[in-house]
């Protein structure tokens, strides 16, 4: 199931990296957005709507020198 979920996650426009893991988590994805509100929408509307995703954990990282800010 992890590979199927991973393929669905990779189809989300803002997902820039994704990996299958062994340990506490099964999958980690990197989502890049210009606004944290957009990140929240992607997680709530797209990621969490994928069947077989039981739980998510989000770490918000920002770079003050980024061109996004």
């Amino acid at each position: 199931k992890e590979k199927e979920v991973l393929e669905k996650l990779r189809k989300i426009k803002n997902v820039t990296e994704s990996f299958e893991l062994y340990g506490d988590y099964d999958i980690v994805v990197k989502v890049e957005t210009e606004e944290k509100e957009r990140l929240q929408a992607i997680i709530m509307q797209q990621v969490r709507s994928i069947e077989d995703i039981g739980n998510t954990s989000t770490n918000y990282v920002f770079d003050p020198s980024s061109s996004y800010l």
Side-chain angles (χ1 to χ4, degrees):
K1 288 186 179 183
E2 288 86 0
K3 292 200 184 308
E4 293 171 13
V5 170
L6 194 56
E7 289 305 314
K8 290 177 183 177
L9 288 166
R10 287 177 174 160
K11 292 178 182 177
I12 296 173
K13 180 181 177 183
N14 293 80
V15 170
T16 59
E17 295 181 66
S18 55
F19 305 96
E20 189 173 354
L21 305 175
Y22 297 100
D24 292 337
Y25 301 101
D26 296 320
I27 294 172
V28 64
V29 296
K30 181 178 178 180
V31 180
E32 292 188 18
T33 65
E34 293 183 18
E35 301 168 347
K36 65 180 178 179
E37 292 80 14
R38 178 70 183 129
L39 175 63
Q40 181 181 11
I42 291 168
I43 293 166
M44 299 298 290
Q45 297 167 7
Q46 295 178 285
V47 173
R48 290 186 179 166
S49 68
I50 295 173
E51 190 175 340
D52 295 318
I53 290 185
N55 297 303
T56 63
S57 176
T58 303
N59 294 292
Y60 182 74
V61 178
F62 71 96
D63 179 359
S65 65
S66 171
S67 61
Y68 289 139
L69 300 177

